[in-house]
Amino acid sequence: MGGSRPSPPPPPTIVYSPAPPPPAPPTSVPTQSVTTQTALNETSGKQTRLNMELGAQLDRTNAEFFAGQDIRRSQSASAEQRLTQKAAGDIETGLTRVRGQEERSGIAATGAEYRAGLATAGQEERRTIGTTGTETRATERVRGTEQRAGIREAGGQERLGIAATGTEQRRGIAASGVEQRAGIRETGSETRLTEAERGRQQRLGIAATGVEQRAGIRETGGQQRLTQGQLLSGQERQIGLRGQEERRTVAASGVEQRAGIRETGSEQRFTALQQEMFRRYKENRDFEQAQSQYRS
């Protein structure tokens, strides 16, 4: 406990021999291949920079051209849409005017026949109106059922047509995408000069497509307006013919009703005359029998 430990011996001293001096640097000797390679590298770098600048310029030119095409296409479509909406408004106004005229004509004819029927015989007219109302309601119910069935059938066919159109459009878009991607892969390895030529051709094609699209939009608008005009003329003729037929039917119905009333009145008068003659005959016979009994 109280004793001291002996100190450890010092570490041994190691002496290293000095390192040898570094070798002298190699002396570069220019050769023809090194000079040629350097020149080729510089030329390739310059060509690469030129290609990149040309590509950037083509991108800016294409962007400006596409923007102009989109603006012109939108303006053309808006103009055609306004023309189509105006034509549709004119057609609806014409139909409303013709429909109102026919309705007023039908109401006037019905009122005239109704008053004539009332002047002839109110009670018979009311019975006839009740029968006519029953038959009319039955006819309207049948007509409504058929119209609803037709509307449902037309809606089903329209939905089927829309579904088929959507399927074909999606198939066409998919095929177009595949072809476009294949074309991009094929042309990706071409030089910037070829890309510049293709860009110029694309702009020419897009310009031609824009012209055709605008022409197609104008043609479509014209055809729509022509079709709507023809539809208006056909509907006006149908409404006019329907109004004439309804007025003829009302007039014929009034004639038949008045004829029936006159026939009924004639039969009633004939029956009343027979009853009066029979009453007088019976009174005369009773009188004669009473006189005969009185005499006897």
Side-chain angles (χ1 to χ4, degrees):
M1 294 289 292
S4 60
R5 294 183 179 180
S7 59
T13 301
I14 301 173
V15 179
Y16 296 95
S17 60
T27 302
S28 60
V29 179
T31 61
Q32 183 64 32
S33 60
V34 173
T35 303
T36 302
Q37 185 64 37
T38 303
L40 289 176
N41 291 336
E42 292 177 355
T43 303
S44 177
K46 291 180 180 179
Q47 185 64 37
T48 301
R49 288 192 297 274
L50 289 175
N51 289 339
M52 293 175 66
E53 292 175 357
L54 178 60
Q57 181 64 32
L58 287 176
D59 291 340
R60 289 193 295 272
T61 302
N62 288 334
E64 294 174 357
F65 186 78
F66 293 155
Q69 284 295 106
D70 292 338
I71 292 172
R72 288 191 291 274
R73 187 182 300 107
S74 300
Q75 291 175 349
S76 178
S78 298
E80 291 300 326
Q81 185 177 7
R82 288 193 296 273
L83 290 175
T84 303
Q85 290 177 351
K86 182 178 182 301
D90 295 339
I91 289 173
E92 184 64 26
T93 302
L95 289 176
T96 303
R97 183 176 58 256
V98 174
R99 190 180 298 111
Q101 293 174 355
E102 292 300 326
E103 288 180 355
R104 289 192 294 274
S105 299
I107 292 171
T110 303
E113 294 298 329
Y114 181 71
R115 288 190 295 273
L118 286 177
T120 305
Q123 184 178 2
E124 293 298 327
E125 182 67 17
R126 285 191 295 274
R127 292 178 181 176
T128 303
I129 290 173
T131 303
T132 303
T134 302
E135 293 298 326
T136 301
R137 287 190 295 274
T139 302
E140 289 299 327
R141 284 194 298 270
V142 173
R143 183 182 293 111
T145 301
E146 293 297 327
Q147 287 178 349
R148 288 191 295 273
I151 291 171
R152 285 194 297 271
E153 179 66 21
Q157 294 299 325
E158 185 176 1
R159 287 190 294 274
L160 290 175
I162 291 172
T165 302
T167 301
E168 292 300 325
Q169 286 179 348
R170 288 191 296 273
R171 291 177 179 174
I173 291 171
S176 177
V178 171
E179 293 297 328
Q180 287 178 354
R181 289 190 296 273
I184 290 171
R185 286 192 300 268
E186 180 66 24
T187 58
S189 60
E190 296 293 329
T191 61
R192 293 294 181 269
L193 180 60
T194 304
E195 290 178 355
E197 178 65 20
R198 184 176 61 252
R200 188 172 64 84
Q201 294 298 326
Q202 286 178 349
R203 289 194 296 276
L204 292 175
I206 292 171
T209 302
V211 172
E212 294 298 327
Q213 287 179 348
R214 291 192 294 275
I217 291 172
R218 287 194 296 271
E219 181 65 21
T220 301
Q223 292 298 324
Q224 287 179 348
R225 292 191 292 275
L226 179 61
T227 302
Q228 290 176 349
Q230 293 176 352
L231 178 62
L232 172 62
S233 300
Q235 290 181 346
E236 289 179 347
R237 288 196 297 272
Q238 291 179 357
I239 293 173
L241 292 175
R242 189 181 300 112
Q244 293 178 1
E245 293 298 327
E246 289 180 354
R247 290 193 293 274
R248 290 176 182 174
T249 303
V250 171
S253 176
V255 172
E256 293 296 330
Q257 289 176 2
R258 290 193 293 275
I261 292 170
R262 287 195 296 271
E263 184 66 24
T264 301
S266 177
E267 293 294 332
Q268 289 178 350
R269 289 192 297 273
F270 181 71
T271 302
L273 179 61
Q274 287 182 339
Q275 291 176 351
E276 181 65 21
M277 292 176 64
F278 179 75
R279 185 183 63 78
R280 292 181 181 180
Y281 166 75
K282 185 177 180 181
E283 289 179 353
N284 187 28
R285 186 189 63 186
D286 293 341
F287 178 74
E288 290 178 354
Q289 288 179 356
Q291 284 185 345
S292 177
Q293 292 178 358
Y294 178 76
R295 292 192 187 97
S296 61

